[in-house]
Amino acid sequence: MQILSFAEAATPADLRVQVRGIQEQAWPSESGPDVAVDTPTHDPALRPLSMLLVDEGTVLAALDILFKEIVHAGERLSAGGLSTVVTSKQARGSGYGRQLVTAARERMIAQSLDLGLFTCDRPLQAFYESAGWRVLPGAVLIGGTPRAPFPSDQPGFDKVTMSDFFSPAGRQAQASFHHSRIELYPGEIDKLW
């Protein structure tokens, strides 16, 4: 078993087909699994990095890390966030998702990011905490764009914001993120990451 990492656009086609299949299991789309394998899932401006947990050529779990510089409380910080975290139905409950989410957190640290932050459905909070992430109390991510904001606290959403602060600058800014609205603005494709 190994963890493989690729820029999203450079992920080998056979692995990408498997990832799309697993994503369709979790989040069925209107177009189904027949989307062209080279169609990007994420905005290339967010420099998506795909991480795959693979066993003998079979993808068991996958996720993407998205990257963006943000400005919060007057501080410019480099941020990464998890997106499209998924484990195949057959592999769920084996700890593979946790292993991959933990590796993604370590990858963000190795890339010298100031912080990692993302939203998840409230029932998944304990899962992410078991992989080293922490709830960011009272924080709301504002996705979308400044003209078309997409907040994580909109009606019908039951999201929590998960985070970790890696660098000295990130740790120094940490308190300013508590109970705040964080202007992430990843764009129209990745409304929230």
Side-chain angles (χ1 to χ4, degrees), residues 77-128:
L77 300 163
S78 59
L82 300 183
S83 184
T84 59
V85 178
V86 66
T87 301
S88 71
K89 282 184 180 178
Q90 302 85 335
R92 289 184 190 152
S94 302
Y96 299 138
R98 181 176 299 104
Q99 183 179 347
L100 192 57
V101 168
T102 300
R105 183 177 163 276
E106 291 167 1
R107 179 70 179 253
M108 288 184 202
I109 293 168
Q111 291 201 219
S112 301
L113 295 179
D114 294 314
L115 72 151
L117 75 160
F118 58 95
T119 61
C120 70
D121 294 332
R122 192 171 303 279
L124 294 173
Q125 175 182 333
F127 165 76
Y128 286 104

Side-chain angles (χ1 to χ4, degrees), residues 30 34 41 58 76 109 122 134 138 148 158 186:
E30 290 179 20
D34 298 329
T41 302
T58 300
R76 187 172 298 277
I109 293 168
R122 192 171 303 279
R134 296 181 203 101
D158 187 21

Side-chain angles (χ1 to χ4, degrees), residues 126-192:
F127 165 76
Y128 286 104
E129 287 174 330
S130 74
W133 296 95
R134 296 181 203 101
V135 169
L136 191 53
V140 174
L141 285 186
I142 312 271
T145 66
R147 287 186 155 164
F150 192 82
S152 64
D153 66 346
Q154 63 187 283
F157 273 26
D158 187 21
K159 302 278 187 192
V160 293
T161 300
M162 305 301 293
S163 67
D164 201 357
F165 296 83
F166 308 129
S167 72
R171 287 189 293 277
Q172 185 174 359
Q174 182 173 352
S176 71
F177 283 86
H178 291 222
H179 304 283
S180 70
R181 298 181 77 76
I182 304 162
E183 296 176 346
L184 181 62
Y185 298 134
E188 289 295 329
I189 296 171
D190 297 282
K191 291 190 179 206
L192 281 176

